[in-house]
Amino acid sequence: MAASPIAVITGASSGIGAATARQLAAAGFRVVLTARRKDRIEALAAEITEAGHEATAYALDVTDRAAVDEFATAFRTLAVLVNNAGGALGADPVATGDPADWRQMYETNVIGTLNVTQALLPALTAGGNGTIVILSSTAGLSTYEGGGGYVAAKHGEHVLAETLRLEIVGTPVRVIEVAPGMVKTEEFATTRFRGDAEKAAKVYAGVDAPLTADDVADTITWAITRPSHVNIDLLVVRPRAQASNSKVHRTV
């Protein structure tokens, strides 16, 4: 019996990363869950295993290059890498934004993606049929007020995906970018506003059915499971109530 193809998911401790891990496991992949919060990914790995699928957990900070390189030594071949780790901090205008927040967002979203992609690209290539998914954002395609630092980081991640695709064309590895719009998860907005639940709730106030983590995971899984000659270069997914980053229909 052939071994299940392996999929590594970064930032798998919650939200889109956790939902993607569940869906890829159900699709027949052996999922390797990485995140800084070891207890969360171990609990998720146990849940997936109990459901009859294959999962392992590995505590990892994607901004720690030495740790990422050590992690990569476990793989001779690899089928899928989902670069999901990232996030936003603050919503201050450019004039008053905290450079430390900008730096942290760049390190996590861009350098973290770069670290893991560089470290695992040899295994993805050796497998003969690799897929790299970069989870960016509609913030990587257009700007909005109060989002300068996050927008800059996601633009960087978007350009990383485009450039990598150009540079490795002709190899057996495809590069897929999924760019979600408004997604309501348990932590994204709360983390952005440093635990201020009231500010986090205002992001989604009056919006009829923002996207869920499962919605985005479904698009990621669909893109990965297309035939290997099919590359979904860029998939933008928004809720029906959102026409752009700054145009959202609200009922209140």
Side-chain angles (χ1 to χ4, degrees), residues 221-246:
T221 302
W222 175 82
I224 289 169
T225 54
R226 295 314 84 207
S228 61
H229 70 285
V230 177
N231 195 101
I232 309 300
D233 283 15
L234 173 62
L235 194 162
V236 177
V237 53
R238 304 182 196 265
R240 186 175 62 190
Q242 183 182 32
S244 73
N245 287 345
S246 56

Side-chain angles (χ1 to χ4, degrees), residues 18-19 67 90-91 123 151 192 194 209 212 219 221 245:
V151 167
R192 183 170 202 166
R194 296 176 172 82
T212 67
T219 66
T221 302
N245 287 345

Side-chain angles (χ1 to χ4, degrees), residues 105-250:
M105 285 186 281
Y106 190 85
E107 286 286 338
T108 305
N109 291 281
V110 183
I111 302 302
T113 295
L114 178 67
N115 284 342
V116 181
T117 300
Q118 286 183 337
L120 291 177
L121 186 56
L124 287 155
T125 305
N129 187 22
T131 299
I132 297 170
V133 176
I134 293 178
L135 191 76
S136 62
S137 168
T138 55
L141 308 175
S142 62
T143 63
Y144 61 93
E145 294 169 286
Y150 182 61
V151 167
K154 285 301 183 181
H155 270 68
E157 202 170 14
H158 168 64
V159 170
L160 188 161
E162 283 195 335
T163 307
L164 177 64
R165 191 179 301 113
L166 292 171
E167 292 173 344
I168 66 172
V169 67
T171 72
V173 179
R174 57 187 178 172
V175 180
I176 294 169
E177 180 183 358
V178 177
M182 179 179 285
V183 186
K184 186 176 183 180
T185 64
E186 67 268 31
E187 293 187 322
F188 180 83
T190 304
T191 299
R192 183 170 202 166
F193 295 109
R194 296 176 172 82
D196 189 324
E198 184 177 349
K199 282 186 178 180
K202 286 181 180 178
V203 173
Y204 312 104
V207 178
D208 181 23
L211 296 178
T212 67
D214 282 332
D215 292 329
V216 180
D218 186 49
T219 66
I220 293 170
T221 302
W222 175 82
I224 289 169
T225 54
R226 295 314 84 207
S228 61
H229 70 285
V230 177
N231 195 101
I232 309 300
D233 283 15
L234 173 62
L235 194 162
V236 177
V237 53
R238 304 182 196 265
R240 186 175 62 190
Q242 183 182 32
S244 73
N245 287 345
S246 56
K247 181 73 172 181
V248 180
H249 177 70
R250 301 178 190 270

